[in-house]
Structure formats: C-alpha cells, structure tokens
Amino acid sequence: MEVVIKSSAEEMSKLSAELIADVVRHKPRAILGLATGSTPLGTYKELIRLHKEEGLDFSRVSTFNLDEYVGLTHDHPQSYHYFMWENLFKHININPKNVHIPDGTSKDVPGFCRWYEEQIVKAGGLDVQLLGIGSNGHIAFNEPGSSLGSRTRVKTLDEGTRKDNARFFKTMEEVPKYAITMGIGTIMDSRQLILLATGAGKADAIAKTCEGPITALVPATIVQLHPKATIVVDKPASTKLTREYPAEPSVLVLS
Ligand code: GLP
C-alpha cells in the first residue's frame, strides 16, 4: 500500500485519473470498478477530458460500480445509476452493454447479488477499483463491523452514513436505509485499488486506514493488505497522519 499526499483535490483527481487511464491504455478491454460520492467527481471530469482531448478510448472497457441504494429507480436523481450516467458515462464512448451497476429495484436481491459477483468473475475480474471512504471508514457501503471477507450483498446503512448523505436528499426520511454493495472480499479481489479522500472530515478515517490496526470496525484498513493499493489524499485529509508520505507514487505507471 502506498500513500500519496497531493497539494489539492484537483491534483489528487489528476493523479487518480492518470492511474486509471494508464490501465485502459495498457488494456483496452480493462474492467474498471467505479465509485460514487463527491470525491471521485474530479477524477471523472479528468477522464472525460482525457477522452475528449486525448482520445482515451472506452469503447471496449467494462465497468462495475460498487453500490446502489435499495429502492431508488435508475432515473432517481440520487440513484447511483443516475449519478454515473450524468457524471461519466454519457460523456465518454462506453458501450452501455458494458456498464454494470447494482440494481436497487431488483425483486430478488440475493439472486441479483450472486449474479453480480458472477458477472465480475466472467469478465475476468476487476483490473482496478476506485474507492472513496466514509467518515466512519466504510468503503462502498461496507459499514463498520462488516466481514472483511464479505461478498456483494444488502447492507443496512449506519445512521451516521445516512446523515452524511442526507445533504443530497430533501428530508432525512428520504435517505434510503439499505444498499446493495460489493463486499470487502469482492473489492480486495481487484488487481489494483485507488482510494481517494479529500477534506478535514476524512482526516480521522484516513489516519486509521493508513496507520491504524486492521479491523472490521474501520473497513478501509483492509487496504493495508492489498499488494497494489494507492491511497491518494489532499492536504486537509492528511492532517492526522503521523508519518511522512510523498507527493508522487514511487512508480507512476503501475500496470
Ligand atoms: C457513500 C458511498 C461511498 C463513498 C462515500 C463517501 O457512502 N457509498 O462509496 O465513498 O459515500 O462519499 P463522499 O465522497 O461524498 O464523501
């Protein structure tokens, strides 16, 4: 695991987009694991720029998203389907058939979760998984206490997570209580991980993730065990780290 501190959120986004673009350039049929939330937005903007200005080609790329709220239809403005199409997919040349996002409207959620896992395996496994982090240290919607070996399944959201995400909904009651999420085991199977964090609100979670003991109570700490993980943070998210970290990864081209 490598920790990189960038001077700004914009610099963080440029680096993470470059790491993803590098995977796609080396493997045009790359399988990308994608994330939602405000943190990866800059990465998506930069990937769109690389597509439009530098011809980064997504035509053979496949994607699998980490999670989706249970009960929100695909056209709901707060659904992760809507988020991904608005903020990335409609701006690049991805084949819609290659896009996979958990279906929060599925009538058979356990069956859907098994199918989702099978599709990832059938595609050849994730080449790189992009991750944000919750202020409680969750990754995807794997809340504290989640099994470190878990697979895709439905999870009850912590009240803190619902409060963090309430800013996107009109009322607290509208914030979904459940989500379908890739498991921690699913995420760890990805050949590469990129975990991003910005802002002082993530400083605690980042300090625990990088320097604390590995524990299910802070699910992101599992990333310490991954052989090819890069944690990229901006200055405010780095303030509780006690060790020194570089501003560039030791090897930019990781693939
Ligand atoms: C949600 C998502 C996570 C994301 C987290 C942080 O809980 N399920 O994947 O990492 O929000 O969101 P933000 O980047 O907006 O802080």
Side-chain angles (χ1 to χ4, degrees), residues 1 131 139 188 193 195 209 219-226 229 231:
M1 183 189 78
L131 296 167
I139 45 177
M188 286 295 283
L193 301 179
L195 187 150
T209 298
T221 56
I222 193 70
V223 169
Q224 293 176 25
L225 289 180
H226 197 282
I231 297 185

Side-chain angles (χ1 to χ4, degrees), residues 36-40 66-67 80 132-134 138 140-141 161 165 167 202:
T36 54
S38 39
T39 312
L66 283 171
D67 46 14
Y80 288 168
I133 184 169
H138 75 212
F141 272 129
T161 298
N165 292 349
R167 65 189 193 275
K202 301 288 172 71

Side-chain angles (χ1 to χ4, degrees), residues 81-98:
H81 274 80
Y82 189 88
F83 176 102
M84 288 308 300
W85 281 99
E86 282 304 301
N87 293 303
L88 181 63
F89 298 144
K90 79 176 189 192
H91 307 285
I92 59 175
N93 65 334
I94 194 143
N95 181 343
K97 283 189 191 140
N98 294 341

